[in-house]
Amino acid sequence: MQKYGWSLPIDVSTHGYQIDRLIWVIHWFMAVLFVGWFLFFLYTLFRFRARAGHKPEHHEKHFKLPTYLEAGVAVFEVVLLVGFSFPIWAHIRNQFPDEKKALHVRVVAEQFAWNVHYPGPDGVFGRTSPALMNASNPLGIDRTDPRALDDIATINQLHIPVDTPVIAQLTSKDVIHSFFLPVMRVKQDTTPGQQIPVWFQAKQTGDFEIACAQLCGLGHYRMRGFFVVDPKETFTQWLAEQAPKPEEIAAWTAAAAAAASKPVAAPAVAAPASH
Amino acid sequence: MSQTNGHSHPHGAAGHDSHELPFWRKYIFSVDHKVIGIQYAVTGLLFLFFGFCLMMLMRWQLAYPGQPLPVPFLANLFNETQMISGIMLPEFYNQLGAMHGTIMIFLGVVPLAVGGFGNFVVPLQIGAPDMAFPKLNMMSYWLYFIGGILMLASFFVPGGTAQSGWTSYPPLSVIASSGQTWWLVGMAFLINSSLLGSINFITTIVQLRAPGLSFFRLPFFVWAQFVTSFLLLLAFPPLMGAAVLQLMDRLAHTSFFLPTGLVVNGAPIAGYSGGGNPLLWQHLFWFLAHPEVYVLILPAMGIVAEVIANNTRKPLYGYKALIYSVVFLGFMSFIVWAHHMYLTGMGTGMSAFFQVTTMIISIPSVIILTTMILSLWGGAIRFTVPMLFALAFLPMFGIGGLTGLPLGLNASDIHLHDTYYVIGHFHYVVAPGTIFALFAGVYYWFPKATGRQMVGWLGKLHFWPSLIFINGVFMPMFIQGMAGVQRRLYDPMQYAHAQPTQVLNVVMSVSAWLLGLAQIPFIVNFFYSIFWGRKADQNPWQATTLEWTAPSPPPHGNFTSEPVVYRGPYEYASPDSKSDFWPQAMKEKN
């Protein structure tokens, strides 16, 4: 199946059909209105062109049709609002899936990459801190936090299982980016200092893209991530491959024990844990 | 501005008579609204051309990403921080993008539409000898001029000019190189220029109307400028405040727009306390920038109304409906700004409010457009060059307005936001819309300003190719936007979803360059006609409004005797008059 072309990209989300339907309803409305207007316009230009023997009319007619047309446009806009946009937005923004059944991820944008944070088997995100962020730990995961030991971090790789609701907490380390999954009809600015949740659910597997939709600097154009919808088993397998190795966990535990014997801990910001 | 009369200067010794002012007082530091208007218009046209050139460069990179410029001469103009052997660098692409927007809006369209046409036409149309505050008027122009120089100079500072988009969203703009500081200071000059100008327009229109010229006898163009001035006056101060805050963030390391805990380039950002909010800037910016859209479009509508009435040889349909709509539009434009921000994390309540106001504001726009089309009905339409441009404005502005609909509804905006659909939408409003109307205005008032007519066939040679190619530039953007191609991409080939429509980038770029070529007849026509155009009398279009009662070009002080107004602005084809037009200032039958 073709993913991308000269029209809307393929939609593999459970909610996207509503957005697509609204887009097409509006475009049909626009087309009808514009073609009607334009034909009237051309006809008027032809009929009332200046020529010998043709005189303009001073006393203006009162046209009834435009009043009906305005009213029709207004009514249609009310329908678009009440029938489509309000409920769709409420569905997307407010009606989050059951947290217990959902996969939770954090997506932290930076110039020019997408850091993805999975909570690991315990289902709880470990503590993160800006002070710990560096090239090998771009998320600043505090591995002294026991809940962080099983946390999984990837760069530009967002894998999700098909037919499973996903709740993603979006934020940014530096400037404003915009988390755009064209095939999921998801787009949300990621703003530093803010944690914004979005949810989505894929109904079809495949290899897709994460795009950045907000100008974020000279590498904006190449801030592309991989968005992969896996069959459930493949996803579980992939996630296990990404998990920290036992020797890494052992090293972190030892380091944490050594640090605990010292009085001062690094200033840390607790990540909002999800349950 | 402390100098109050010419006697204190050796060159000013000519005396009181305005006709004997030295050259620099008459044409450079002039206080005559017509000279200032022409200064604004010419400077604005030059900036429009410059901004267009920036875009033509960007279009090369978009059509042929990563390939060197085909013209070695052009490639040699740029240094190694901009292009390497003719291949554009991404940071330079971002600079071109930010400055294309800034220059087109703040240095091109607004100065031409408000500073140029407003200054030249409004006092003439209301029968005034000049603006209410001529020296303030001169100061407006020179503040604008300095702002423009600062913007141009910023290209040459280390790190290049502003590169965070014309919207300058922090934190990106705060951590950007020093060009952004120049941008902010330049904007401060432009903002203050517009503020002084708007006060001047409001005072002039309220105080200096000729006897008999009541508000409901004002030409629609004056109404449009009147409402525009209120928008400038009320919307720019928040941006001025925001610009100062961003300047403080950059220079004094305050943190109005920077949250706590920023990590830039892998290291916590040093020297900022944090605690600010990037969204504050967006609210302040769009509180200006949405009314700004109407600053761009209202004068254009005013020009189109004038040209349509004159070339249909009949009164405008629904003159009062037009005025009520434009006033309502002005009010509403202050409460729609956050529809630019649906995807910042906005909840249902707030976004519902802004969607409703956005739908409401479409109603007066539809009324204005419908009224103008209905004005054609029953006319005897002359297809003069200004009329061609004014007529082309109508459907193209219609496309711009209609495509605002899926962007104004937040559910459809999720997919279309920050894609080429947005670029197509607002360009249809501003380029095939406003700029076509501005061309109509140039052709229409040129004989008044110079005493000579522009050449008709050159005008048509300008119009038809421009009409075709400008649609070739902007129409494909809607397709790319539907496909999800993001805006502001240096290299669209990076994305799989952008590759199928890449061929459209070639179509758009070639159209853009041909559109550039299509401006040559205009440039030739403009300069040829100034010197050798056919002489025009005071009313070559047989128009009714007051500016056509003054000589062409009008002398200092405008009218040979103070005009008195007896009727509304568009008395064409009146049964009470023998001729097909009845000027506002003519007491007896024409």
Side-chain angles (χ1 to χ4, degrees):
Chain A
M1 184 183 267
Q2 197 191 349
K3 294 180 205 167
Y4 312 112
W6 280 38
S7 183
L8 294 174
I10 184 177
D11 168 38
V12 302
S13 71
T14 53
H15 73 272
Y17 73 95
Q18 304 174 70
I19 292 174
D20 293 4
R21 188 165 60 193
L22 175 59
I23 288 176
W24 291 122
V25 166
I26 298 172
H27 279 85
W28 277 112
F29 170 72
M30 281 157 54
V32 168
L33 209 57
F34 182 77
V35 170
W37 252 351
F38 194 63
L39 292 178
F40 175 78
F41 175 69
L42 291 180
Y43 171 71
T44 309
L45 292 184
F46 177 75
R47 177 166 163 191
F48 296 101
R49 68 196 186 281
R51 55 199 185 274
H54 171 72
K55 288 227 180 298
E57 302 159 15
H58 177 266
H59 288 293
E60 61 181 39
K61 285 194 174 66
H62 182 72
F63 296 96
K64 286 239 173 73
L65 187 66
T67 317
Y68 297 134
L69 201 69
E70 311 278 1
V73 169
V75 167
F76 190 73
E77 287 183 345
V78 171
V79 170
L80 289 177
L81 283 172
V82 178
F84 292 88
S85 202
F86 290 168
I88 297 173
W89 190 259
H91 177 60
I92 290 169
R93 296 293 313 172
N94 297 350
Q95 293 161 22
F96 272 69
D98 185 350
E99 291 201 353
K100 293 194 189 70
K101 290 180 186 152
L103 170 75
H104 292 264
V105 293
R106 291 175 70 232
V107 178
V108 181
E110 71 172 282
Q111 290 175 324
F112 303 95
W114 302 97
N115 296 294
V116 184
H117 186 178
Y118 293 91
D122 68 350
V124 182
F125 291 108
R127 207 163 43 222
T128 59
S129 163
L132 298 173
M133 288 175 183
N134 57 42
S136 61
N137 186 10
L139 282 161
I141 297 173
D142 181 0
R143 300 289 185 180
T144 62
D145 177 4
R147 296 170 304 175
L149 290 174
D150 62 346
D151 284 14
I152 296 160
T154 65
I155 298 175
N156 288 332
Q157 293 283 346
L158 173 61
H159 284 236
I160 66 164
V162 70
D163 295 328
T164 308
V166 179
I167 298 177
Q169 298 283 346
L170 307 179
T171 189
S172 165
K173 287 159 73 169
D174 39 37
V175 304
I176 299 174
H177 305 267
S178 190
F179 177 73
F180 180 23
L181 303 176
V183 296
M184 295 298 283
R185 305 296 185 267
V186 167
K187 191 183 286 150
Q188 171 60 54
D189 287 0
T190 68
T191 308
Q194 274 183 299
Q195 187 108 235
I196 302 168
V198 294
W199 70 267
F200 45 88
Q201 179 171 340
K203 58 182 186 186
Q204 192 179 320
T205 59
D207 286 357
F208 307 107
E209 292 172 316
I210 312 172
C212 181
Q214 184 69 270
L215 178 66
C216 58
L218 64 90
H220 167 58
Y221 71 98
R222 56 178 160 81
M223 189 166 159
R224 174 174 180 247
F226 297 92
F227 171 58
V228 182
V229 183
D230 285 324
K232 284 180 182 170
E233 312 76 58
T234 319
F235 174 74
T236 317
Q237 197 185 335
W238 175 82
L239 203 62
E241 285 163 13
Q242 309 300 315
K245 309 276 177 290
E247 57 270 25
E248 284 179 303
I249 296 177
W252 291 331
T253 318
S261 58
K262 291 179 191 162
V264 184
V269 180
S274 28
H275 313 282
Chain B
M1 290 306 294
S2 61
Q3 188 176 338
T4 51
N5 72 60
H7 294 278
S8 59
H9 194 282
H11 295 291
H16 299 284
D17 190 347
S18 57
H19 294 286
E20 291 173 38
L21 281 173
F23 178 83
W24 65 275
R25 284 287 308 273
K26 198 172 168 188
Y27 295 111
I28 298 172
F29 294 101
S30 172
V31 292
D32 182 336
H33 74 97
K34 297 181 295 297
V35 176
I36 294 172
I38 291 167
Q39 286 176 325
Y40 259 119
V42 170
T43 320
L45 281 168
L46 288 173
F47 272 116
L48 280 180
F49 181 71
F50 181 67
F52 185 66
C53 290
L54 301 186
M55 185 273 278
M56 288 196 284
L57 276 176
M58 294 167 76
R59 290 255 40 124
W60 172 263
Q61 167 63 24
L62 286 171
Y64 307 105
Q67 292 183 34
L69 281 182
V71 191
F73 157 73
L74 269 182
N76 291 337
L77 290 176
F78 300 98
N79 65 33
E80 68 284 357
T81 64
Q82 297 166 327
M83 291 190 189
I84 290 174
S85 37
I87 300 171
M88 189 180 294
L89 295 173
E91 47 270 51
F92 187 54
Y93 179 85
N94 287 351
Q95 293 171 28
L96 292 175
M99 293 313 278
H100 168 73
T102 304
I103 286 171
M104 288 311 221
I105 295 169
F106 296 108
L107 291 164
V109 173
V110 173
L112 179 55
V114 180
F117 287 111
N119 254 309
F120 188 88
V121 177
V122 166
L124 284 167
Q125 279 195 332
I126 64 171
D130 206 314
M131 295 285 278
F133 307 117
K135 284 180 181 159
L136 204 64
N137 203 16
M138 178 172 92
M139 188 170 167
S140 299
Y141 173 76
W142 288 104
L143 286 177
Y144 156 64
F145 189 82
I146 294 168
I149 296 293
L150 288 173
M151 291 289 187
L152 290 180
S154 71
F155 276 96
F156 302 99
V157 302
T161 182
Q163 47 200 288
S164 311
W166 78 282
T167 50
S168 287
Y169 279 6
L172 183 63
S173 57
V174 173
I175 61 175
S177 64
S178 62
Q180 182 66 21
T181 302
W182 286 68
W183 187 90
L184 289 164
V185 175
M187 282 305 295
F189 277 91
L190 298 176
I191 291 167
N192 285 296
S193 160
S194 281
L195 284 177
L196 298 185
S198 63
I199 293 167
N200 213 344
F201 278 114
I202 293 169
T203 315
T204 305
I205 294 169
V206 171
Q207 294 290 343
L208 297 186
R209 281 166 293 125
L213 188 56
S214 61
F215 269 94
F216 280 117
R217 283 180 175 175
L218 284 177
F220 182 65
F221 179 76
V222 177
W223 267 105
Q225 291 285 353
F226 192 54
V227 174
T228 300
S229 297
F230 276 101
L231 298 185
L232 287 171
L233 181 66
L234 300 176
F236 258 135
L239 184 67
M240 183 67 201
V244 171
L245 297 186
Q246 193 179 110
L247 203 60
M248 295 303 286
D249 274 8
R250 288 181 55 83
L251 299 180
H253 282 207
T254 53
S255 297
F256 291 103
F257 304 125
L258 298 190
T260 307
L262 278 193
V263 176
V264 178
N265 274 334
I269 191 167
Y272 291 92
S273 61
N277 190 331
L279 291 190
L280 174 61
W281 167 269
Q282 296 189 22
H283 281 292
L284 292 170
F285 180 84
W286 289 114
F287 187 84
L288 155 90
H290 199 84
E292 179 78 9
V293 172
Y294 293 92
V295 169
L296 301 170
I297 195 68
L298 295 186
M301 289 172 168
I303 293 169
V304 169
E306 298 301 306
V307 173
I308 284 182
N310 176 257
N311 287 287
T312 53
R313 315 305 295 162
K314 64 174 278 295
L316 281 181
Y317 176 78
Y319 166 74
K320 284 198 174 174
L322 273 177
I323 291 170
Y324 295 138
S325 296
V326 82
V327 172
F328 183 63
L329 208 58
F331 276 108
M332 288 304 293
S333 73
F334 283 101
I335 48 170
V336 297
W337 79 90
H339 67 207
H340 298 268
M341 300 169 58
Y342 287 143
L343 301 189
T344 54
M346 202 182 282
T348 44
M350 188 162 154
S351 71
F353 174 81
F354 282 102
Q355 286 183 86
V356 170
T357 55
T358 303
M359 293 302 114
I360 291 175
I361 205 172
S362 71
I363 304 288
S365 313
V366 173
I367 293 178
I368 290 174
L369 200 57
T370 312
T371 306
M372 287 180 175
I373 293 178
L374 289 176
S375 291
L376 305 170
W377 191 270
I381 300 166
R382 302 188 305 204
F383 294 96
T384 60
V385 175
M387 186 61 167
L388 289 175
F389 278 95
L391 289 173
F393 167 91
L394 297 175
M396 295 198 290
F397 174 73
I399 293 172
L402 285 171
T403 49
L405 208 52
L407 300 170
L409 295 164
N410 56 10
S412 35
D413 187 49
I414 291 173
H415 181 68
L416 299 173
H417 191 83
D418 275 329
T419 66
Y420 264 89
Y421 199 93
V422 180
I423 314 280
H425 155 68
F426 70 71
H427 277 93
Y428 260 98
V429 174
V430 179
T434 296
I435 291 180
F436 263 56
L438 295 175
F439 276 126
V442 171
Y443 284 102
Y444 185 62
W445 282 301
F446 189 91
K448 182 49 63 186
T450 63
R452 291 177 188 274
Q453 286 277 23
M454 291 180 85
V455 182
W457 68 270
L458 276 173
K460 286 174 184 167
L461 192 62
H462 174 213
F463 171 77
W464 289 107
S466 294
L467 179 68
I468 293 163
F469 296 131
I470 206 160
N471 284 290
V473 177
F474 297 117
M475 192 61 81
M477 289 186 180
F478 296 123
I479 298 169
Q480 287 197 332
M482 291 288 257
V485 182
Q486 310 99 289
R487 63 192 293 195
R488 293 167 169 167
L489 290 182
Y490 160 75
D491 179 2
M493 292 303 280
Q494 296 281 329
Y495 284 99
H497 71 266
Q499 286 167 6
T501 53
Q502 175 60 17
V503 60
L504 291 177
N505 272 329
V506 179
V507 173
M508 291 190 273
S509 296
V510 171
S511 298
W513 302 323
L514 291 174
L515 181 63
L517 287 181
Q519 305 315 301
I520 291 174
F522 173 74
I523 297 167
V524 169
N525 198 355
F526 190 86
F527 288 104
Y528 172 84
S529 304
I530 288 177
F531 301 106
W532 302 288
R534 187 161 45 82
K535 281 239 161 66
D537 64 11
Q538 73 176 36
N539 192 1
W541 306 111
Q542 302 191 303
T544 51
T545 45
L546 285 183
E547 75 270 34
W548 305 105
T549 311
S552 299
H556 195 72
N558 293 345
F559 297 92
T560 39
S561 61
E562 188 189 36
V564 178
V565 172
Y566 297 97
R567 60 193 64 80
Y570 308 115
E571 280 304 311
Y572 291 100
S574 168
D576 302 327
S577 168
K578 276 174 286 185
S579 168
D580 87 322
F581 68 108
W582 201 2
Q584 281 189 289
M586 187 178 280
K587 192 174 184 182
E588 64 279 10
K589 290 186 178 175
N590 188 23

